[in-house]
Amino acid sequence: MNKVLIINTGGTIGMALTDNGYTPIKGYFRTELERIEELEHENMPKWDMIELDPILDSSNITVNEWNKIGEVIRDNYDSYRGFVIVHGTDTMAYTASALSFMLKNLNKPVVLTGSQIPLCELRSDGRDNLITSLVIANDAVVKEVCLYFGGKLMRGNRATKFSADKLIAFKSCNYPYLADAGITIRYNMNLLRQPA
Ligand code: ASP
């Protein structure tokens, strides 16, 4: 129970550059994770990874994938401290919102994240988004479905993508951020959902 489960659904973060542009390729995200030395740092949580089949550009995510993600969390709920869902940015907010209503009585963090620039590229924002999401999932302070992107943690069903270009691509509508990840991760404790 001292591990985090990463559920890879696809999206830019783990895409490979092919003759047809950036494409989700089975198994490639794991290869990219193996290149991130920080994931072996002593302060990083241990993690396992499950990949949905197929992995998708998130414009192709449907309610079937929402159900699959929900089933993976249900089947592994007792074995992990928290969950990180790796997802394309285009529909990440919709998946976050759907999961927030699907996963009732959640008592652990479920953090969605992704990136604007793939991990295989020099300036990828995926490294920080992933590392910080893993830390938040392991902290287990937040016990709800949330979305971490560009230094901000937001409630899943309040998040919206507002930029296809900026590395701070999401904002939280009509609700303050649940946490700010600066030099430290500062949780806004009085705003967090309490388990029923
Ligand atoms: N089209 C990609 C997706 O949503 C964009 C991204 O991940 O940023 O899967």
Side-chain angles (χ1 to χ4, degrees):
M1 241 275 283
N2 55 357
K3 277 185 178 179
V4 172
L5 182 63
I6 302 173
I7 304 168
N8 180 30
T9 71
T12 290
I13 186 168
M15 286 188 190
L17 187 55
T18 69
D19 291 344
N20 297 323
Y22 291 110
T23 313
I25 293 180
K26 194 172 181 207
Y28 184 76
F29 182 62
R30 188 178 291 279
T31 315
E32 284 299 317
L33 293 189
E34 282 162 11
R35 295 196 318 125
I36 303 177
E37 283 177 22
E38 292 90 333
L39 293 181
E40 302 301 320
H41 190 283
E42 58 181 352
N43 294 338
M44 280 302 290
K46 301 276 175 256
W47 51 271
D48 293 324
M49 207 262 287
I50 286 179
E51 199 157 83
L52 292 197
D53 186 17
I55 44 168
L56 296 169
D57 183 295
S58 79
S59 53
N60 295 318
I61 294 260
T62 67
V63 70
N64 292 332
E65 282 71 39
W66 296 349
N67 287 336
K68 278 193 206 167
I69 298 167
E71 283 164 13
V72 171
I73 292 174
R74 179 197 62 198
D75 295 346
N76 291 279
Y77 190 76
D78 292 332
S79 308
Y80 292 92
R81 256 175 98 73
F83 300 86
V84 171
I85 301 171
V86 172
H87 199 288
T89 60
D90 290 342
T91 66
M92 191 189 299
Y94 304 125
T95 299
S97 191
L99 291 174
S100 77
F101 292 101
M102 187 192 288
L103 300 172
K104 292 214 171 125
N105 301 326
L106 198 59
N107 201 9
K108 300 182 178 190
V110 172
V111 188
L112 285 97
T113 199
S115 71
Q116 295 279 56
I117 305 174
L119 282 169
C120 62
E121 294 295 345
L122 187 62
R123 290 185 53 252
S124 178
D125 50 330
R127 222 163 275 114
D128 172 65
N129 285 346
L130 186 66
I131 289 169
T132 304
S133 295
L134 282 164
V135 170
I136 290 168
N138 188 59
D139 281 350
V141 172
V142 177
K143 298 171 196 300
E144 57 180 288
V145 177
C146 48
L147 190 156
Y148 176 77
F149 213 94
K152 300 283 187 193
L153 184 71
M154 50 211 105
R155 178 157 292 163
N157 53 29
R158 297 292 182 146
T160 190
K161 183 177 176 183
F162 75 100
S163 173
D165 175 59
K166 293 184 185 350
L167 299 186
I168 297 173
F170 289 84
K171 64 183 171 193
S172 181
C173 294
N174 296 324
Y175 201 76
Y177 292 98
L178 300 184
D180 288 289
I183 291 174
T184 58
I185 299 174
R186 284 196 317 275
Y187 294 98
N188 293 319
M189 296 303 290
N190 52 337
L191 299 175
L192 305 182
R193 269 178 72 90
Q194 295 307 319

